[in-house]
Amino acid sequence: MKILSIETSCDESAISIVEAFGGLKNPEFKVVSSALHSQIEMHKEFGGVYPSLAKREHSRNLVPLLKEVLSGENGDYTKISEDKGRKIQKILEREPRLLELFQEAVPNLKKPNIDYIAVTVGPGLEPALWVGINFAKALSVAWNVPVIPSDHMEGHIASVLSGNKEKIDFPAVALLVSGGHTDLYEIKKWGEYKRLGGTRDDAVGEAFDKVARLLGLGYPGGPEISKLAEKSRSREPHHEEKWKMPRPMLNSDDLDFSFSGIKTHVLYLVRDMSNLSPENKESIAREFEDAVIEVLVQKTKKALEETSAKTLIVAGGVTANKELRKQMKKISKILGVPSLLPPQELSTDNSTMIALASFLKLNYSKQKFEVNPDLEAQGNLEL
Ligand code: KG4
Ligand code: ZN
């Protein structure tokens, strides 16, 4: 089965075509083609993501990305009747630039041999999500293909199915760490997610981004902080006590997190320092990373023990962090619970993971998926 998937929940516009085999017990995937446009360079200028700018960029980028992923197709050209043309016009009326590009390009593209279109409906920035949803609906009409609405976080979870040979035994525990989320879930089986706990304030990726800004580093902050932290580790194996930062909620009775305190700690530290030398920045970055990871590992360990989980899944943009990957692998080994993390390139937002999640949904849900369904962006969608 082939799925074309679309992701526009934040600052990456992405489209993939993925071939899926097997069922829920042994899903296997082959990425046929995949294209991604990151808006990071643009958002860098503003130090963060602005929803209206993200929306505009998605509108500009989706059609070029579609051309790229369809370049290997050799079916018939897409025929758009007058009736379909009117429907498409209505669907894309709030995205005039996208409509223009669509009308210009799609009739000249080969209709791909796909069974479904998958699209992220949430969580994320609603103006950005709408662009992907309307694009999916317009393509659904043009090609007469049903749409699977997908959850971005389920996408992150499913990202571990790529490149990992290891089988997932249930119950599993998933730690999701991204720019908007820090959550622990128990997965009893595919489609059954129980939230065990999560952050009470900032998401961990958000904390990385905010601390990076305090240190005068670029956006997104995660990769910048981790670069500096690594420099500090190679400079001095043992870190001086004086940099010690708090580990909020490390020993609390629940599976919740709080990261805004560490961020405030850094704020005061930076404010009270007359000289923020490169070495000082590296030390702060390292201690911040260590503090955050220690709490993440400790709470994940607690979740694994409380649920007697047989598999650990760690997913979301922050799993691009090498030290986090290393520490999670270490605890998984100590506890004897196999761990799955996404391959580096599927850690941060992408559309391949949306195809994988939609394939799972197709298999576990009793839902019937329709051509041109009524869909809405759900900014706060919960698993
Ligand atoms: O999953 P993602 O791409 O987007 C959301 O769904 O939010 O995650 C983005 C987050 C950003 O906050 C970014 O700073 C963080 O992931 N991130 C990292 C690293 N690479 C990306 N955090 C720590 N270390 C990294 N190497
Ligand atoms: Zn994400």
Side-chain angles (χ1 to χ4, degrees):
M1 158 180 324
K2 260 194 196 169
I3 300 171
L4 180 141
S5 54
I6 302 167
E7 156 66 38
T8 64
S9 68
C10 189
D11 57 355
E12 323 279 352
S13 328
I15 305 182
S16 302
I17 298 181
V18 174
E19 202 164 354
F21 313 90
L24 283 185
K25 288 218 156 58
N26 53 348
E28 270 186 57
F29 302 96
K30 187 177 145 237
V31 179
V32 178
S33 58
S34 187
L36 181 143
H37 179 273
S38 168
Q39 304 171 6
I40 281 178
E41 283 308 315
M42 189 193 67
H43 295 299
K44 257 184 184 162
E45 274 182 48
F46 303 93
V49 181
Y50 281 83
S52 58
L53 280 184
K55 173 187 153 90
R56 191 192 69 187
E57 287 296 296
H58 290 309
S59 295
R60 287 180 182 171
N61 295 324
L62 284 175
V63 168
L65 292 171
L66 182 69
K67 283 186 184 166
E68 205 177 319
V69 295
L70 293 187
S71 63
E73 295 292 324
N74 49 15
D76 295 335
Y77 283 101
T78 305
K79 274 212 193 73
I80 299 184
S81 64
E82 260 184 51
D83 176 47
K84 282 187 176 181
R86 270 193 302 275
K87 276 192 189 150
I88 289 168
Q89 205 161 349
K90 182 103 194 40
I91 291 167
L92 294 177
E93 70 187 353
R94 302 181 74 174
E95 266 84 47
R97 181 71 186 127
L98 177 56
L99 174 63
E100 205 178 304
L101 292 168
F102 192 101
Q103 287 170 332
E104 212 173 87
V106 174
N108 298 316
L109 294 175
K110 303 272 171 81
K111 177 183 187 283
N113 174 22
I114 53 167
D115 301 282
Y116 292 94
I117 296 169
V119 65
T120 308
V121 295
L125 306 169
E126 291 197 354
L129 289 163
W130 272 117
V131 184
I133 291 172
N134 289 332
F135 187 58
K137 288 177 59 164
L139 287 174
S140 159
V141 168
W143 295 331
N144 208 27
V145 172
V147 179
I148 307 176
S150 300
D151 182 305
H152 181 83
M153 298 318 287
E154 192 172 30
H156 277 303
I157 293 175
S159 69
V160 305
L161 293 171
S162 173
N164 272 312
K165 282 275 167 285
E166 210 130 2
K167 228 174 100 349
I168 296 183
D169 275 331
F170 296 108
V173 157
L175 171 71
L176 301 181
V177 279
S178 72
H181 287 260
T182 305
D183 293 311
L184 277 163
Y185 280 93
E186 181 183 8
I187 308 178
K188 297 220 166 93
K189 58 180 186 180
W190 288 125
E192 255 187 60
Y193 308 104
K194 181 180 163 203
R195 192 171 184 274
L196 302 170
T199 185
R200 296 187 179 176
D201 40 59
D202 292 350
V204 63
E206 186 182 357
F208 268 93
D209 294 336
K210 286 179 176 170
V211 166
R213 206 174 312 156
L214 291 172
L215 296 178
L217 308 170
Y219 171 86
E224 302 284 330
I225 298 255
S226 100
K227 243 185 275 164
L228 295 194
E230 254 172 64
K231 271 195 192 161
S232 164
R233 283 188 199 102
S234 61
R235 198 160 32 87
E236 37 163 353
H238 295 287
H239 209 204
E240 275 182 81
E241 251 328 284
K242 70 172 187 192
W243 296 110
K244 194 86 182 162
M245 288 183 197
R247 268 76 169 149
M249 302 185 71
L250 184 66
N251 296 311
S252 70
D253 255 354
D254 48 33
L255 293 166
D256 284 347
F257 302 93
S258 165
F259 295 109
S260 70
I262 316 187
K263 174 196 68 191
T264 310
H265 181 94
V266 176
L267 172 72
Y268 292 148
L269 198 64
V270 171
R271 200 187 55 186
D272 296 343
M273 269 167 90
S274 50
N275 170 26
L276 198 57
S277 67
E279 285 79 16
N280 288 347
K281 280 191 193 180
E282 287 164 16
S283 290
I284 293 171
R286 170 186 183 168
E287 177 62 21
F288 167 75
E289 197 174 85
D290 283 348
V292 163
I293 292 175
E294 190 177 332
V295 183
L296 290 173
V297 167
Q298 186 57 34
K299 288 284 163 100
T300 302
K301 176 171 178 274
K302 191 167 154 68
L304 289 170
E305 287 166 349
E306 284 180 11
T307 56
S308 308
K310 294 184 181 134
T311 313
L312 168 64
I313 291 172
V314 189
V318 182
T319 54
N321 186 287
K322 286 208 191 86
E323 188 63 21
L324 177 68
R325 295 178 83 92
K326 190 170 130 192
Q327 298 301 337
M328 284 293 168
K329 289 277 172 204
K330 195 164 147 192
I331 194 71
S332 125
K333 211 165 175 193
I334 291 171
L335 297 177
V337 179
S339 58
L340 286 92
L341 286 93
Q344 197 82 25
E345 70 279 7
L346 294 188
S347 287
T348 48
D349 289 352
N350 64 86
S351 47
T352 298
M353 70 184 199
I354 300 305
L356 309 192
S358 72
F359 181 70
L360 296 178
K361 188 168 176 179
L362 194 64
N363 280 281
Y364 70 66
S365 99
K366 301 272 175 284
Q367 242 172 297
K368 188 166 159 16
F369 299 104
E370 300 163 22
V371 173
N372 191 18
D374 264 339
L375 295 179
E376 269 190 40
Q378 294 166 264
N380 299 316
L381 184 63
E382 279 182 29
L383 271 178

